[in-house]
Amino acid sequence: MIPIIRPDLTFDEVADELKAVIDSGWLTTGPKVVEFEMMIAERVGVRHAIATTSATTALHLVLAAAGIGAGDEVLVSDFSFPASANAIVQTGAVPVFVDCRPGAFDLDPEDASAKVTARTKAIMPVHPFGMPADIKALVALGEKHGLLVVEDAACAIGGARDGIACGGGPGAGCFSFHPRKLITTGEGGAVTTDDDTLAARMRLLRSHGGQTGPAVGLEFVENGYNYRMSEVQAVLGLAQMRRLDAILADRRATAARYRERLAGVNGIAMPQFDIPGEGTFQSFVILLDDGIDRDGLVKHLRADGVETTLGTYAQHAHPAFARFGYQPGDLPHSWRAQRQSLTLPLLPRMAEEQIEIVTHVLVGALNADCHR
Ligand SMILES: *Cc1c(COP(=O)(O)O)cnc(C)c1O
């Protein structure tokens, strides 16, 4: 079976550093996490990176530190992983789903504009599958309405557009180091920002809201969380961050080979190449014509040894968000993308013959029985 993704990490490259950390006896947030944060901040071109337990907690931490809560609304890319809207719900604010552009996966600025109200406090655009969103346009929209721009850059470490790194816009960016992402710490995440006040509050809230006071122990000045990354996780992340350029070059090269092989195949579109900038290709996601039965295709491919899945989710269409007044299909482009998107395997140093197997099996299945 050819899987969808595999971490680009070996035990040998972390063995010595891991041994040193474990033997040191200091396993929670410490010098390795600080080193990891500095590498991320430098890469993203901002002053602060704050490592967390996941992108989900990173998103929640930004919103909480920005004081977003009950009575507020946050605009969010509908076609994305439900962690983003859940982070909004956890603050007490209301997620307002924004459709993607037709035939593409990125947030539609016009739909976003139309949904701004007096209660809107922030906009949370995703860089879908690591394809850089048009942050310049969204920042302009944010400035017009006084919104905090929180980039969901979960899949986008190392991506850039218009000279701005993903997660490096004004506001904050949130990254994921889940094993399905470009680099992994098992579970983990980070927030990046240039805002000193926001960064300080996030550091405080990340660790129980406690700070050193005049007396022994801590003084708890906020009701915080425990969103701290461990030293063990940071060691894994550091090893991959040092090789990030090679990891990105490898994924981009494989994506280009897919594009060559799939050029001209009827019934599929490769929208990631319509977006300018440097994508990361966390996933290689194609969009299938409406006549193609995507779920039938996934089963067919699995039987032929190729694992595929949907791109991601039309969040509004899921029961968890129905109470906010949505019916499946209310956001038509995102709804179509959930049903007609297909993620192809994209493995580290993917062999030419594996790419050939995937494309051969895919084309065979499209020609066979996978039509409605
Ligand atoms: C993976 C992902 C998340 C969640 O990341 P975790 O680190 O698993 O919490 C959020 N948003 C997007 C776009 C993702 O792809």
Side-chain angles (χ1 to χ4, degrees):
M1 189 66 121
I2 299 179
I4 289 174
I5 197 166
R6 200 174 51 231
D8 193 339
L9 178 68
T10 63
F11 178 70
D12 287 350
E13 67 179 316
V14 292
D16 293 347
E17 238 175 322
L18 216 45
K19 180 171 176 4
V21 160
I22 292 168
D23 288 350
S24 80
W26 189 281
L27 298 187
T28 185
T29 302
K32 290 293 169 193
V33 169
V34 171
E35 196 182 335
F36 185 49
E37 290 177 336
M38 280 167 61
M39 270 191 104
I40 292 166
E42 194 186 335
R43 180 75 197 204
V44 175
V46 293
R47 279 199 296 281
H48 307 280
I50 294 136
T52 61
T53 49
S54 68
T56 309
T57 54
L59 290 164
H60 182 240
L61 189 62
V62 177
L63 298 175
I68 288 165
D72 297 333
E73 292 175 0
V74 178
L75 299 170
V76 59
S77 295
D78 186 54
F79 188 57
S80 192
F81 196 71
S84 50
N86 280 337
I88 298 166
V89 171
Q90 281 158 21
T91 67
V94 171
V96 176
F97 294 113
V98 179
D99 210 351
C100 45
R101 291 186 307 134
F105 300 134
D106 60 331
L107 179 143
D108 181 348
E110 280 181 28
D111 194 39
S113 281
K115 287 174 175 166
V116 173
T117 73
R119 291 167 178 254
T120 313
K121 290 288 157 56
I123 181 164
M124 194 190 278
V126 69
H127 296 287
F129 317 116
M131 297 181 283
D134 190 353
I135 286 301
K136 269 194 171 167
L138 295 169
V139 164
L141 179 77
E143 278 172 357
K144 190 172 157 198
H145 301 286
L147 312 179
L148 175 70
V149 179
V150 183
E151 297 173 54
D152 183 342
C155 307
I157 186 90
R161 178 165 170 171
D162 300 327
I164 307 169
C166 294
C174 296
F175 295 92
S176 173
F177 308 120
H178 178 275
R180 266 293 302 273
K181 316 297 170 155
L182 292 155
I183 69 167
T184 185
T185 56
E187 296 281 0
V191 184
T192 50
T193 187
D194 257 336
D195 183 328
D196 298 341
T197 311
L198 189 66
R201 184 132 197 253
M202 288 195 284
R203 289 188 189 282
L204 183 68
L205 291 177
R206 174 178 64 172
S207 195
H208 307 289
Q211 63 188 24
T212 43
V216 168
L218 296 173
E219 185 172 35
F220 293 92
V221 294
E222 295 254 24
N223 302 120
Y225 315 98
N226 178 357
Y227 287 168
R228 292 187 307 260
M229 176 176 275
S230 80
E231 290 288 273
V232 173
Q233 289 170 299
V235 165
L236 307 189
L238 275 166
Q240 294 155 89
M241 274 305 282
R242 292 180 193 121
R243 292 191 287 104
L244 183 61
D245 285 322
I247 290 171
L248 289 167
D250 176 49
R251 297 193 76 78
R252 287 169 182 153
T254 302
R257 275 142 76 202
Y258 264 135
R259 177 172 165 77
E260 273 169 39
R261 287 186 173 273
L262 294 173
V265 173
N266 276 339
I268 65 176
M270 291 174 278
Q272 38 269 86
F273 291 95
D274 297 343
I275 295 178
E278 299 160 65
T280 64
F281 294 99
Q282 176 265 342
S283 289
F284 190 90
V285 181
I286 60 175
L287 203 49
L288 306 165
D289 283 359
D290 287 327
I292 297 166
D293 168 17
R294 195 271 319 277
D295 290 3
L297 185 62
V298 169
K299 282 188 199 128
H300 187 126
L301 295 173
R302 185 170 298 144
D304 283 348
V306 175
E307 193 188 342
T308 58
T309 187
L310 82 178
T312 189
Y313 299 91
Q315 298 185 78
H316 81 275
H318 290 262
F321 303 104
R323 71 180 183 283
F324 297 108
Y326 294 94
Q327 299 271 341
D330 280 353
L331 285 82
H333 304 297
S334 168
W335 177 233
R336 176 170 187 273
Q338 176 181 299
R339 286 171 304 137
Q340 293 305 107
S341 58
L342 186 75
T343 303
L344 301 182
L346 206 171
L347 307 173
R349 290 165 297 284
M350 196 165 176
E352 193 67 44
E353 59 196 47
Q354 285 182 308
I355 297 174
E356 194 180 322
I357 290 168
V358 173
T359 52
H360 182 81
V361 165
L362 174 64
V363 171
L366 287 170
N367 289 333
D369 55 350
C370 293
H371 296 268
R372 291 202 170 91

